[in-house]
């Protein structure tokens, strides 16, 4: 098994080969910050590589960054991330861990939270960590350089983030750290910090970044171009069908390297990919059912056989609130735009009103956009 296959960076390459030749399982680290409730397909690229190391007999160490999430990774960011509350981080961490096990072998995964070491770290250990690198080193990050050039603030906390991620490697005695290409600076800094603590330095292995459903920007919750691993199979299939034709090859290469894109029309390639994604995260047969749902909704313009039922109170119903709170439309302002664009219908008839009596809604099918349906009770 070529464990560096499809990696963009494998540094230092000689050290990587030497580590693989050691007569012991390597400790292979992947850190994820629970800054949102869900893992998306972009996360599964590095998780898939971690699973390959597991299958080769090495120890997979999944770090849930419950403390680094409080700082916020500045990688690829043009502004400081908003700070999350402890409750938000804990809720996200729980779902992250469970969703990661759709890729990793639960029994062979060592799960650690970096709060184990940071929560009890006093000032003296923090000073030692801070003294292990220079401001000059930290400002070599492209993200920081661009923000300095544009006179965009950089918080002191953000300067600490790469050091905290690097210290994770010290705490768990990492041999190899995985990450996206945007993580290379942090991974290489981990080598420096480990050597400062008298340890053998880890190797850095970076994986390509999966584009989102727009085919251009990286897949991200913040840009809305993501496909969540826990989303219903119908949602996953429908989103795959929106991926630009030219990006389909990358999705196959990064998500299903052993399943090359089938020949034929891009639409058929997307359908095959949609089935693979749904089956992977929801079990065999989920892909066929999701495709049948897609055909009913998009080809035959029929409502799905199963849909949620929403109860409305007596009196006037404010549709933007109903769409946002019950049907999953992103916000009330977005719901207003959908109504204004003629993308909301009741039993197939377009709705232009913002408020409707509950008596006119009950017993009918409400549709928002192309994929959201609900029966009103």
């Amino acid at each position: 098994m070529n464990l560096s296959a499809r990696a963009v960076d494998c540094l230092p390459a000689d050290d990587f080969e030497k580590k693989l030749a050691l007569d012991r399982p390597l400790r292979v680290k992947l850190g994820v910050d629970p800054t949102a409730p869900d893992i998306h397909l972009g996360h599964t690229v590095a998780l898939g590589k971690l699973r390959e190391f597991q299958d080769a007999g090495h120890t997979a160490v999944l770090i849930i960054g419950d403390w680094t999430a409080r700082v916020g990774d500045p990688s690829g960011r043009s502004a400081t991330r908003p700070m999350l509350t402890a409750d938000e981080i804990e809720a996200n961490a729980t779902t992250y861990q469970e969703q990661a096990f759709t890729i990793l072998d639960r029994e062979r995964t060592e799960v650690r939270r970096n709060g184990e070491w940071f929560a009890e770290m006093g000032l003296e250990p923090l000073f030692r960590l801070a003294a292990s690198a220079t401001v000059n080193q930290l400002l070599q990050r492209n993200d920081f350089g661009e923000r300095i050039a544009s006179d965009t603030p950089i918080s002191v906390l953000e300067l600490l983030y790469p050091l905290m991620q690097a210290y994770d490697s010290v705490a768990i005695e990492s041999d190899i750290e995985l990450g996206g290409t945007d993580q290379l600076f942090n991974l290489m800094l981990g080598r420096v910090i480990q050597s400062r603590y008298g340890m053998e330095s880890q190797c850095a292995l970076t994986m390509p970044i999966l584009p989102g459903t727009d085919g251009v920007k990286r897949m991200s919750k913040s840009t809305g171009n993501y496909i969540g691993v826990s989303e219903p199979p119908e949602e996953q299939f429908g989103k795959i069908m929106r991926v630009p034709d030219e990006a389909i090859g990358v999705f196959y290469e990064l998500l299903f390297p052993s399943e090359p894109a089938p020949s034929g029309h891009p639409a058929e390639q997307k359908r095959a990919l949609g089935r693979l994604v749904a089956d992977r995260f929801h079990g065999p047969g989920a892909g066929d059912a999701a495709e049948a749902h897609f055909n009913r909704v998009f080809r035959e313009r029929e409502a799905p056989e199963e849909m949620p039922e929403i109860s409305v109170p007596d009196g006037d119903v404010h549709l933007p609130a109903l769409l946002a709170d019950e049907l999953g439309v992103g916000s009330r302002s977005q719901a207003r735009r959908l109504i204004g664009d003629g993308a909301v219908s009741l039993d197939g008839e377009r709705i232009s009103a913002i408020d409707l009596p509950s008596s006119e809604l009950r017993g009918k099918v409400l549709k928002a956009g192309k994929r959201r349906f609900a029966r009103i009770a």
Side-chain angles (χ1 to χ4, degrees), residues 180-215:
T181 52
D182 61 337
Q183 289 287 310
L184 181 59
F185 179 93
N186 293 355
L187 272 55
M188 296 302 286
L189 185 63
R191 289 176 48 80
V192 174
I193 301 305
Q194 282 180 310
S195 67
R196 296 285 194 273
Y197 281 78
M199 298 175 58
E200 184 176 339
S201 295
Q202 67 184 12
C203 292
L205 199 69
T206 67
M207 299 301 294
I209 293 176
L210 185 73
T213 52
D214 56 2

Side-chain angles (χ1 to χ4, degrees), residues 329-341:
V329 174
S331 65
R332 296 188 182 192
S333 58
Q334 184 178 345
R336 285 178 177 271
R337 285 194 295 272
L338 285 176
I339 294 171
D341 291 340

Side-chain angles (χ1 to χ4, degrees), residues 337-356:
R337 285 194 295 272
L338 285 176
I339 294 171
D341 291 340
V344 178
S345 63
L346 198 62
D347 273 0
E349 298 292 328
R350 289 182 179 179
I351 297 173
S352 58
I354 297 297
D355 299 284
L356 280 177

Side-chain angles (χ1 to χ4, degrees), residues 121-141:
M121 180 178 280
L123 281 178
E124 185 175 347
L126 178 61
F127 289 165
R128 182 187 178 191
L129 175 59
S132 301
T134 67
V135 172
N136 302 45
Q137 284 177 300
L138 298 177
L139 292 182
Q140 288 175 11
R141 289 181 58 114

Side-chain angles (χ1 to χ4, degrees), residues 33-356:
D33 286 344
T35 54
D38 301 308
I39 286 177
H40 54 64
L41 293 187
H43 294 115
T44 69
V45 177
L47 284 167
K49 176 58 68 175
L50 187 58
R51 176 59 188 260
E52 289 181 25
F53 276 96
Q54 272 189 325
D55 291 342
H58 300 292
T59 302
V61 185
L62 179 67
I63 295 185
I64 305 294
D66 56 340
W67 270 67
T68 42
R70 301 175 188 221
V71 176
D73 186 359
S75 299
R77 304 287 296 186
S78 59
T80 303
R81 287 183 185 271
M83 292 189 68
L84 300 177
T85 67
D87 287 344
E88 289 173 328
I89 291 172
E90 179 58 33
N92 294 346
T94 300
T95 57
Y96 258 49
Q97 184 171 319
E98 287 305 308
Q99 291 170 21
F101 290 136
T102 62
I103 304 293
L104 301 175
D105 184 327
R106 183 189 298 264
E107 299 302 319
R108 293 185 292 155
T109 303
E110 179 181 323
V111 180
R112 306 289 294 274
R113 296 196 180 195
N114 56 21
E116 293 175 32
W117 41 90
F118 287 128
E120 302 300 325
M121 180 178 280
L123 281 178
E124 185 175 347
L126 178 61
F127 289 165
R128 182 187 178 191
L129 175 59
S132 301
T134 67
V135 172
N136 302 45
Q137 284 177 300
L138 298 177
L139 292 182
Q140 288 175 11
R141 289 181 58 114
N142 291 336
D143 320 84
F144 290 157
E146 292 169 0
R147 284 162 69 175
I148 290 172
S150 63
D151 198 28
T152 303
I154 301 170
S155 74
V156 174
L157 271 179
E158 288 179 289
L159 290 177
L160 286 177
Y161 186 93
L163 288 171
M164 294 174 71
Q165 180 173 333
Y167 189 80
D168 289 347
S169 296
V170 173
I172 63 106
E173 300 181 349
S174 168
D175 291 305
I176 297 171
E177 183 171 7
L178 307 178
T181 52
D182 61 337
Q183 289 287 310
L184 181 59
F185 179 93
N186 293 355
L187 272 55
M188 296 302 286
L189 185 63
R191 289 176 48 80
V192 174
I193 301 305
Q194 282 180 310
S195 67
R196 296 285 194 273
Y197 281 78
M199 298 175 58
E200 184 176 339
S201 295
Q202 67 184 12
C203 292
L205 199 69
T206 67
M207 299 301 294
I209 293 176
L210 185 73
T213 52
D214 56 2
V216 179
K217 297 179 181 178
R218 62 176 295 160
M219 187 170 288
S220 169
K221 292 278 288 187
S222 60
T223 55
N225 64 350
Y226 68 97
I227 302 171
V229 302
S230 63
E231 287 187 300
E234 297 82 8
E235 287 284 324
Q236 293 174 334
F237 190 94
K239 287 184 175 182
I240 289 291
M241 294 302 293
R242 298 207 305 270
V243 174
D245 294 351
E246 58 272 17
I248 288 298
V250 176
F251 274 69
Y252 272 99
E253 179 184 354
L254 298 185
L255 299 177
F256 299 97
S258 61
E259 297 275 355
S263 58
H265 194 278
E268 294 306 314
Q269 294 177 335
K270 294 180 200 179
R271 285 177 172 274
L273 179 62
R275 293 193 296 269
L276 284 171
V277 169
D279 283 348
R280 181 176 191 177
F281 296 106
H282 297 282
D288 289 339
E291 184 175 26
H293 171 93
F294 180 88
N295 290 341
R296 284 195 302 272
V297 175
F298 291 91
R299 277 189 171 178
E300 303 159 16
R301 302 298 177 185
E302 294 179 5
E305 294 177 354
E306 296 184 7
M307 67 183 77
E309 186 172 276
I310 298 173
S311 297
V312 295
D314 293 335
D316 286 345
V317 176
H318 188 55
L319 290 180
L322 182 68
L323 294 172
D325 299 343
E326 301 291 346
L327 215 60
V329 174
S331 65
R332 296 188 182 192
S333 58
Q334 184 178 345
R336 285 178 177 271
R337 285 194 295 272
L338 285 176
I339 294 171
D341 291 340
V344 178
S345 63
L346 198 62
D347 273 0
E349 298 292 328
R350 289 182 179 179
I351 297 173
S352 58
I354 297 297
D355 299 284
L356 280 177

